[in-house]
C-alpha cells in the first residue's frame, strides 16, 4: 500500500481542523459549480425552462425528505461517534460502529426506496401535478445507495480523513451533471429534433417532452448515486488492511458490545442529528405542497382552464425552485466546510475537556461565515436582474428578479444556521437544531398558506416566508449557543465590521454596474465587471477594517503564506 494511503488513515493526527475545512471547501465549490452548470444547460434547453424545473424540483424535494430520514444526518452522527472513540484510542469500537451502521442504514435506505416508488402516485396527487409521479419513481433507488454512502463517509470523516468524502462527492456530482445533460439532450432530440421509431417506443413527443426530460434528469441522480457507492466500497476494500493495522496499534481498552446495543447507540445519536435534516427537508417540502396549490387559488379567473392554471403554477414554482434556489444555494459551498468540520472537531475538543480550542474554532467559523454570507446576499440582491439575464438568457420571467432579491437574504441566515448547527451538534446539543428548524417550519407554513393564495402577492409569498423562517431558526440557535459557549470577539469585530464591509461592497457593485451600463450595452460584460469591482472593494474593506488579526490568518489554510504576502505588498502591518 502506498504511503499516502497510510497517511490518510492516520489523518486524525496529520490533518488539522482548517486542513479538513479546505478539503471540504474545494469539494463543495466543485460540486456547486458542476450543479450550476447542468442546471443552466437544461434550463436553457427549449421545452424544459421553468416548467421543467418545477416538475424536476417537486419530485426531487420529496426524495430529499425521505433521504433525510434514511441518511442525511448519518455522516455527522457516525463521524461524532467514531471521532470520540478514536480520541480515546478505541479504534476497534469505532470500526464496530461502522459495520453495524452499514447494515442498519442499508435496510433503512432500502425501505425508503420502496416507499417512494410505491407511493409516488399518491404523493404526486397531493402536490397537485400527477406528472411528478414518474420523476419520484426514477429517484427512488437512489435512497438506498446514498444511505450506504453516507455511512462510509461518516466513518472516514470521524478519522478526519475528509479526502475520500470530498472525492466521492465530487465524483457523484460529476456523474450526475454529465448524465443529466446527456439524457435531457437525448430526450429533446428524440422528441423534438429527430423523432423516429425509438421515440415511438418510449412514447416521446412534443406534448410530453417537458415531463420526460424532468424524469431522465432525476434518473441521472440515481445512476450517479450508484456509481458513487461503488467507488466508496472499492476505496474501503483498498485500505482495509491499513485500517486493521491502525486498530491493532490503538491503545484504548476494547469493550465488545452486542450489535443490537450498538444500533441503539447509533440511533440515539443519529436520530436527533437526522431530525434537524428531516425538519429542514420538511421545510423545503412546505413549498412543494403549498406553492402550486396556493398559486392555483391565486390564479383563479386569470386562465380559461384548470390545465392552464396548473401549467402556470408549475412555471412559477419552477422559477423559485429552479433558478432562484439554485443561485442562493451556491454560497453554501463556501460555508458547509466549516459546519461539517466543526462536528468532529468540537466533539473531540469537548471529549478532551479542551473548551478553549472548541471556543476558538466556533468563533473563527462564525465570523468567517458572516464574511461569506453578507456579501453573497447583498451582491445577489443588488445585481439580481443582470445576473439572471447573464445565466439564463433563453428563459425570461418578470417575476424572477424580485424573487431573487427577496430570497437572497435567506443566504445570511442559512449559512449562520449551518455553522451554529455544526457547533451545537459538536457540543452534544443535537436536539436544538431540530427544534429551532421546527419552529421555522411552522412560521413558513403559516406564511405560505396566508400569502401565496393572495393574488397581489402570489409566488413572492414563498420567498418572504423563507426569509422569516430562516431568521427564526437563527434567533433560537444563537440564543442557545451563546448560553453554552461564549464567543471570543466583540460584537464590533464579529458583526458590525463585516456589515460595514458589505455595505461598501454593495455600493461599489451598484454604482459600477450603473456607470458601466451607461456606456456598454452588453449585459454579460457589464455584470462581470461589476462583480469584479465588488470583489475588489470587499477585499480592501476587509483588510482596511482589520476584521482578521494575525492569529486569524494563521488559522486559515496556507494562512502564514497569505499573511506574509499581504505584509510584502503592505496591505497589513508587520
Amino acid at each position: 500500500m502506498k504511503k499516502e494511503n497510510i497517511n490518510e488513515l492516520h489523518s486524525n493526527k496529520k490533518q488539522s481542523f482548517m486542513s479538513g475545512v479546505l478539503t471540504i471547501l474545494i469539494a463543495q465549490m466543485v460540486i456547486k459549480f458542476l450543479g450550476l452548470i447542468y442546471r443552466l444547460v437544461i434550463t436553457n434547453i427549449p421545452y424544459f425552462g421553468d416548467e421543467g424545473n418545477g416538475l424536476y424540483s417537486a419530485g426531487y424535494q420529496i426524495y430529499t425528505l425521505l433521504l433525510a430520514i434514511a441518511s442525511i444526518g448519518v455522516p455527522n452522527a457516525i463521524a461524532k461517534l467514531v471521532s470520540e472513540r478514536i480520541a480515546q484510542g478505541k479504534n476497534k469500537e469505532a470500526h464496530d460502529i461502522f459495520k453495524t451502521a452499514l447494515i442498519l442504514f442499508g435496510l433503512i435506505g432500502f425501505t425508503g426506496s420502496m416507499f417512494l416508488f410505491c407511493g409516488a402516485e399518491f404523493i404526486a396527487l397531493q402536490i397537485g401535478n400527477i406528472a411528478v409521479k414518474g420523476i419520484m419513481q426514477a429517484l427512488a433507488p437512489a435512497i438506498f445507495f446514498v444511505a450506504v454512502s453516507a455511512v462510509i463517509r461518516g466513518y472516514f470523516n470521524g478519522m478526519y480523513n475528509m479526502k475520500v468524502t470530498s472525492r466521492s462527492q465530487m465524483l457523484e456530482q460529476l456523474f450526475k451533471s454529465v448524465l443529466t445533460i446527456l439524457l435531457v439532450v437525448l430526450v429533446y432530440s428524440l422528441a423534438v429534433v429527430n423523432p423516429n421509431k425509438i421515440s415511438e417506443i418510449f412514447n416521446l413527443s412534443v406534448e410530453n417532452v417537458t415531463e420526460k426530460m424532468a424524469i431522465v434528469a432525476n434518473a441521472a441522480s440515481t445512476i450517479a448515486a450508484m456509481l458513487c457507492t461503488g467507488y466508496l466500497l472499492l476505496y474501503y476494500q483498498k485500505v482495509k488492511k491499513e485500517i486493521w493495522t491502525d486498530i491493532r496499534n490503538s491503545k484504548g481498552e476494547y469493550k465488545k458490545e452486542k450489535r443490537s446495543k450498538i444500533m441503539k447507540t447509533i440511533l440515539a445519536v443519529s436520530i436527533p442529528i437526522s431530525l434537524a435534516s428531516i425538519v429542514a427537508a420538511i421545510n423545503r417540502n412546505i413549498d412543494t405542497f403549498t406553492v402550486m396549490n396556493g398559486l392555483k387559488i391565486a390564479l383563479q379567473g386569470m386562465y380559461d382552464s384548470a390545465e392552464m392554471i396548473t401549467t402556470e403554477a408549475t412555471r412559477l414554482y419552477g422559477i423559485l425552485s429552479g433558478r432562484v434556489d439554485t443561485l442562493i444555494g451556491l454560497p453554501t459551498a463556501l460555508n458547509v466546510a466549516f459546519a461539517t468540520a466543526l462536528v468532529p472537531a468540537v466533539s473531540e475538543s469537548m471529549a478532551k475537556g479542551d473548551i478553549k480550542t472548541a471556543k476558538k474554532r466556533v468563533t473563527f467559523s462564525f465570523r468567517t461565515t458572516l464574511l461569506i454570507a453578507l456579501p453573497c446576499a447583498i451582491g445577489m440582491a443588488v445585481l439580481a436582474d443582470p445576473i439572471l439575464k447573464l445565466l439564463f438568457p433563453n428563459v425570461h420571467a418578470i417575476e424572477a428578479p424580485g424573487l431573487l432579491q427577496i430570497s437572497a437574504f435567506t443566504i445570511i441566515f442559512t449559512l449562520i444556521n449551518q455553522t451554529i448547527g455544526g457547533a451545537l451538534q459538536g457540543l452534544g446539543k443535537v436536539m436544538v437544531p431540530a427544534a429551532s428548524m421546527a419552529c421555522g417550519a411552522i412560521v413558513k407554513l403559516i406564511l405560505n398558506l396566508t400569502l401565496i393564495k393572495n393574488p397581489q402577492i402570489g409566488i413572492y409569498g414563498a420567498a418572504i416566508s423563507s426569509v422569516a423562517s430562516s431568521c427564526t431558526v437563527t434567533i433560537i440557535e444563537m440564543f442557545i449557543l451563546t448560553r453554552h459557549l461564549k464567543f471570543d470577539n466583540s460584537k464590533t469585530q464579529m458583526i458590525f465590521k463585516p456589515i460595514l464591509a458589505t455595505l461598501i461592497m454593495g455600493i461599489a457593485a451598484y454604482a459600477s454596474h450603473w456607470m458601466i451600463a451607461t456606456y456598454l450595452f452588453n449585459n454579460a460584460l457589464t455584470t462581470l465587471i461589476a462583480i469584479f469591482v465588488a470583489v475588489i472593494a470587499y477585499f480592501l474593506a476587509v483588510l482596511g477594517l482589520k476584521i482578521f488579526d494575525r492569529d486569524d490568518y494563521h488559522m486559515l489554510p496556507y494562512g502564514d503564506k497569505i499573511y506574509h504576502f499581504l505584509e510584502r505588498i503592505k496591505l497589513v502591518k508587520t
Side-chain angles (χ1 to χ4, degrees):
M1 180 62 64
K2 294 182 180 179
K3 186 176 180 180
E4 55 264 31
N5 288 332
I6 296 174
N7 288 339
E8 286 182 353
L9 294 171
H10 294 278
S11 53
N12 58 308
K13 298 177 182 178
K14 297 182 181 296
Q15 278 188 289
S16 66
F17 168 69
M18 285 310 302
S19 295
V21 169
L22 179 61
T23 301
I24 301 170
L25 175 62
I26 293 172
Q28 288 298 315
M29 289 180 68
V30 172
I31 289 167
K32 287 295 183 180
F33 175 75
L34 291 172
L36 175 63
I37 292 300
Y38 88 77
R39 289 304 287 261
L40 292 180
V41 172
I42 64 175
T43 301
N44 284 292
I45 291 175
Y47 292 95
F48 194 90
D50 291 324
E51 185 183 354
N53 273 325
L55 294 171
Y56 176 96
S57 299
Y60 196 84
Q61 291 304 336
I62 299 297
Y63 158 76
T64 61
L65 175 58
L66 291 174
L67 197 61
I69 298 171
S71 68
I72 287 184
V74 175
N76 283 347
I78 303 302
K80 176 179 172 61
L81 291 170
V82 168
S83 64
E84 287 174 348
R85 278 152 183 79
I86 288 179
Q88 298 165 358
K90 299 179 179 180
N91 293 45
K92 181 67 166 62
E93 290 185 16
H95 192 261
D96 287 348
I97 289 170
F98 163 64
K99 289 192 299 181
T100 304
L102 205 57
I103 296 170
L104 176 62
F105 289 101
L107 291 172
I108 293 173
F110 179 77
T111 304
S113 292
M114 294 302 297
F115 177 83
L116 182 59
F117 187 86
C118 297
E121 183 174 352
F122 174 78
I123 298 171
L125 290 172
Q126 306 312 306
I127 292 173
N129 194 325
I130 191 62
V132 180
K133 172 187 173 182
I135 294 164
M136 288 187 287
Q137 289 181 328
L139 278 168
I143 297 174
F144 167 75
F145 294 112
V146 175
V148 173
S149 298
V151 173
I152 303 173
R153 287 168 175 164
Y155 180 55
F156 286 110
N157 282 355
M159 295 189 291
Y160 282 84
N161 183 357
M162 309 294 183
K163 290 182 180 179
V164 64
T165 292
S166 300
R167 286 196 208 110
S168 68
Q169 289 175 329
M170 287 189 289
L171 280 173
E172 182 176 357
Q173 187 66 15
L174 178 62
F175 291 141
K176 179 179 176 180
S177 301
V178 173
L179 288 170
T180 299
I181 294 172
L182 290 177
L183 292 175
V184 169
V185 170
L186 177 62
V187 169
Y188 172 71
S189 177
L190 290 173
V192 180
V193 179
N194 184 31
N196 52 43
K197 290 184 178 180
I198 297 177
S199 307
E200 295 177 6
I201 293 172
F202 289 99
N203 188 29
L204 298 175
S205 65
V206 174
E207 287 73 23
N208 65 15
V209 66
T210 301
E211 176 186 344
K212 298 295 185 181
M213 286 193 290
I215 289 173
V216 297
N218 277 303
S221 298
T222 295
I223 300 170
M226 180 178 65
L227 293 172
C228 177
T229 303
Y231 164 77
L232 286 167
L233 290 172
L234 288 173
Y235 180 86
Y236 172 76
Q237 289 298 322
K238 182 180 179 181
V239 299
K240 192 174 181 179
K241 290 183 179 179
E242 277 63 40
I243 289 175
W244 279 98
T245 299
D246 205 41
I247 289 172
R248 285 190 291 270
N249 292 335
S250 59
K251 298 179 181 179
E253 182 181 352
Y254 173 62
K255 181 180 178 182
K256 184 175 178 58
E257 294 182 345
K258 292 182 179 180
R259 184 154 286 172
S260 59
K261 187 175 181 180
I262 296 175
M263 284 186 179
K264 290 179 182 178
T265 302
I266 294 170
L267 291 173
V269 176
S270 65
I271 288 176
I273 291 179
S274 295
L275 278 176
S277 301
I278 292 168
V279 176
I282 291 174
N283 200 326
R284 290 191 296 271
N285 273 281
I286 288 173
D287 278 350
T288 305
F289 285 100
T290 60
V291 169
M292 281 197 272
N293 286 317
L295 287 172
K296 286 181 179 180
I297 298 174
L299 295 170
Q300 288 293 332
M302 298 183 188
Y303 294 89
D304 297 332
S305 66
E307 183 179 352
M308 293 178 67
I309 290 175
T310 299
T311 299
E312 177 64 7
T314 304
R315 182 190 72 84
L316 290 170
Y317 175 65
I319 297 171
L320 178 68
S321 61
R323 289 199 268 168
V324 173
D325 285 353
T326 297
L327 291 177
I328 65 173
L330 291 176
T332 59
L334 301 173
N335 186 70
V336 72
F338 291 97
T340 303
L342 268 178
V343 177
V346 174
S347 294
E348 183 183 12
S349 297
M350 297 303 290
K352 294 178 178 179
D354 188 0
I355 299 175
K356 182 178 179 181
T357 299
K359 183 186 296 187
K360 185 176 182 181
R361 288 171 174 173
V362 172
T363 300
F364 177 80
S365 297
F366 180 82
R367 184 147 45 98
T368 306
T369 292
L370 276 183
L371 290 170
I372 294 169
L374 290 172
C376 289
I378 299 304
M380 285 194 190
V382 170
L383 300 176
D385 188 46
I387 287 174
L388 286 166
K389 288 178 179 177
L390 170 68
L391 298 177
F392 303 99
N394 296 335
V395 188
H396 300 289
I398 59 172
E399 302 91 351
L403 280 172
L404 182 55
Q405 287 174 329
I406 297 170
S407 299
F409 290 93
T410 61
I411 294 172
I412 300 171
F413 302 115
T414 300
L415 267 61
I416 291 174
N417 295 340
Q418 279 183 332
T419 299
I420 298 177
L424 288 168
Q425 288 175 13
L427 289 170
K429 308 296 178 182
V430 291
M431 291 299 295
V432 174
S436 60
M437 287 182 188
C439 294
I442 292 171
V443 170
K444 182 169 181 59
L445 178 61
I446 293 172
L447 290 178
N448 266 21
L449 293 175
T450 304
L451 299 177
I452 296 173
K453 64 183 180 181
N454 185 332
Q456 302 302 317
I457 301 175
I459 189 63
Y460 298 104
I464 294 168
S465 68
S466 292
V467 176
S469 172
S470 56
C471 179
T472 300
V473 176
T474 300
I475 292 171
I476 296 172
E477 289 190 346
M478 181 66 77
F479 175 76
I480 300 297
L481 178 63
T482 52
R483 288 186 62 187
H484 292 89
L485 198 70
K486 299 294 183 182
F487 291 112
D488 286 337
N489 296 121
S490 66
K491 291 181 180 179
T492 299
Q493 193 70 14
M494 285 192 65
I495 301 174
F496 297 128
K497 284 187 177 182
I499 290 175
L500 179 57
T502 302
L503 290 175
I504 293 171
M505 182 223 68
I507 294 170
Y510 179 82
S512 60
H513 185 272
W514 179 76
M515 288 188 291
I516 296 168
T518 305
Y519 302 99
L520 289 178
F521 296 99
N522 186 310
N523 176 70
L525 183 58
T526 302
T527 304
L528 291 173
I529 293 173
I531 292 173
F532 177 75
V533 171
V535 170
I536 296 300
Y538 187 65
F539 175 72
L540 294 176
V542 169
L543 290 176
L545 293 170
K546 297 183 176 62
I547 295 175
F548 279 139
D549 59 25
R550 185 164 188 165
D551 290 338
D552 290 329
Y553 282 107
H554 292 324
M555 283 193 70
L556 291 168
Y558 307 108
D560 291 341
K561 293 181 180 179
I562 294 172
Y563 187 81
H564 292 318
F565 172 74
L566 294 173
E567 272 187 324
R568 284 198 299 272
I569 62 176
K570 301 187 184 303
L571 286 178
V572 296
K573 293 182 180 179
T574 304

